[in-house]
Amino acid sequence: MKDLLTVKDLTLTEIEELFELALKLKKELKAGVEHKILAGKSLGMIFAKSSTRTRVSFEVGIYQLGGQGIFLSSNDIQLGRGETIEDTTKVLSRYVDGIMIRTFAHSDVEELAEHATIPIINGLTDDYHPCQALTDLLTIKEYKGELKGLKMTYVGDGNNMAHSLLLAAAKVGMDISIACPQNYQPDEEVVAATKEIAQDSGSMVEITSDILAASEDADVLYTDVWASMGDEDEMEERQEAFTKYQVNSEVMSVAKADAIFLHCLPAHRGEEVTAEVIDGEQSVVFDQAENRLHMQKAIMAKLMK
């Protein structure tokens, strides 16, 4: 495990090791035990897209591990003013011990990794969000115990979250059903790669436009905003397309009685999810958000130690 660009790059053993370490670090933190395993290390944090959870969890996380995070927005570095990714990467590789980048094009992250001599962590691109998907699996594991054989239903846009959840679920042997409008389905190459992984893990992969059929007997229901960052100009057309793709009490009622609800946040109550669901007893979204801290600490510790 040299970098974390997508969940597809990880083996099942590496994923399980991240779970184990994240839970260990979480337990230690709750007990007031310090774990300065990255003392003296620095993480460069490049943000082309703004964030709440990603920035705070990485910055607090590297601090709790004994290191420091350096926030670098597009306005702060020459990368935003014409310097090549290759040149920026070669320079930063001599200053810091790891780079987390949150940006638009996934190809930028791949180019960063190609030229870096230090670990690269994908904090989000338009195509993938591996840190979030690993966090989601960790949260499900805490609530459900085992992951293999569970069914996750994702409702909404076939976006970077859908891509990462597809790959992550297949890796650990979870069944996954994606319910989305016909014109907003996940990328065909990602679906094909997921089905290939699923053949080995024994999981079921389904892409459908029927939200109730997809949600039937689900152990986990998951949704995301209808318009991701960068899609705001399509908001009116997306609201019309996604009107029927809301997680509400009817959808929850066809899932298992002990199903949990997840959302990567921020949430738009009244759009992709009703307030009744996200604020209800089955919702674990704030435990899920907290786990970003613990999972990302585990990722940094594995890559940068």
Side-chain angles (χ1 to χ4, degrees):
M1 184 176 171
K2 176 183 175 292
D3 305 301
L4 177 58
L5 307 188
T6 77
V7 180
K8 184 170 59 176
D9 301 330
L10 301 178
T11 65
L12 177 58
T13 298
E14 287 172 332
I15 292 172
E16 289 174 340
E17 287 175 351
L18 285 172
F19 291 157
E20 184 179 352
L21 181 54
L23 292 172
K24 175 178 180 289
L25 294 173
K26 182 176 183 177
K27 184 178 180 180
E28 289 178 354
L29 182 67
K30 301 288 186 184
V33 177
E34 291 190 344
H35 35 239
K36 305 293 187 182
I37 53 182
L38 293 183
K41 303 276 188 177
S42 297
L43 177 74
M45 306 186 303
I46 301 174
F47 283 87
K49 284 187 175 184
S50 59
S51 167
T52 299
R53 280 149 292 276
T54 299
R55 177 174 179 183
V56 176
S57 56
F58 268 108
E59 197 159 339
V60 171
I62 188 69
Y63 171 77
Q64 290 179 354
L65 292 171
Q68 66 168 339
I70 304 168
F71 175 76
L72 303 166
S73 76
S74 299
N75 297 324
D76 296 325
I77 56 177
Q78 296 300 325
L79 186 62
R81 291 191 284 269
E83 184 173 50
T84 65
I85 292 175
E86 180 178 354
D87 287 355
T88 297
T89 307
K90 287 179 176 178
V91 171
L92 289 178
S93 290
R94 298 183 180 217
Y95 291 157
V96 298
D97 303 286
I99 295 172
M100 186 285 300
I101 179 168
R102 182 179 171 95
T103 189
F104 293 89
H106 188 71
S107 58
D108 288 352
V109 179
E110 292 176 326
E111 188 175 353
L112 202 67
E114 180 185 348
H115 298 292
T117 57
I118 55 175
I120 303 300
I121 301 170
N122 175 7
L124 175 142
T125 65
D126 287 344
D127 294 330
Y128 300 103
H129 199 354
C131 293
Q132 181 68 59
L134 289 168
T135 295
D136 300 335
L137 293 186
L138 177 69
T139 307
I140 297 166
K141 186 176 177 66
E142 282 187 302
Y143 274 88
K144 298 294 183 180
E146 294 300 317
L147 295 174
K148 190 173 179 63
L150 294 179
K151 177 183 177 181
M152 180 194 300
T153 297
Y154 172 90
V155 177
D157 189 18
N159 58 13
N160 50 10
M161 255 343 300
H163 292 163
S164 291
L165 289 171
L166 277 164
L167 294 167
K171 283 278 184 179
V172 300
M174 288 180 68
D175 295 338
I176 182 162
S177 185
I178 305 285
C180 55
Q182 201 67 35
N183 295 331
Y184 295 91
Q185 292 188 347
D187 181 84
E188 290 181 3
E189 288 187 13
V190 176
V191 174
T194 301
K195 289 182 176 179
E196 192 173 324
I197 295 167
Q199 286 181 342
D200 294 329
S201 67
S203 63
M204 180 276 292
V205 180
E206 177 187 47
I207 312 295
T208 179
S209 57
D210 190 331
I211 181 174
L212 291 179
S215 303
E216 190 171 353
D217 292 328
D219 298 283
V220 181
L221 280 163
Y222 197 121
T223 191
D224 191 8
V225 293
W226 290 341
S228 299
M229 199 176 298
D231 296 328
E232 291 86 355
D233 57 338
E234 302 174 10
M235 193 62 208
E236 188 174 330
E237 131 189 9
R238 281 173 172 268
Q239 282 184 322
E240 185 176 341
F242 286 96
T243 299
K244 296 179 181 178
Y245 293 86
Q246 179 189 73
V247 179
N248 50 35
S249 56
E250 181 185 11
V251 173
M252 294 297 295
S253 71
V254 301
K256 288 183 179 175
D258 63 347
I260 57 174
F261 173 75
L262 299 178
H263 193 305
C264 52
L265 302 179
H268 296 167
R269 287 166 172 78
E271 291 183 9
E272 75 273 6
V273 61
T274 60
E276 178 185 15
V277 170
I278 195 170
D279 297 324
E281 291 183 358
Q282 290 171 274
S283 174
V284 299
V285 298
F286 295 109
D287 289 339
Q288 176 190 5
E290 179 193 330
N291 278 340
R292 286 290 300 277
L293 172 66
H294 311 302
M295 175 51 71
Q296 284 158 189
K297 285 168 67 176
I299 291 166
M300 288 187 285
K302 280 286 186 185
L303 291 175
M304 295 170 61
K305 188 174 180 182

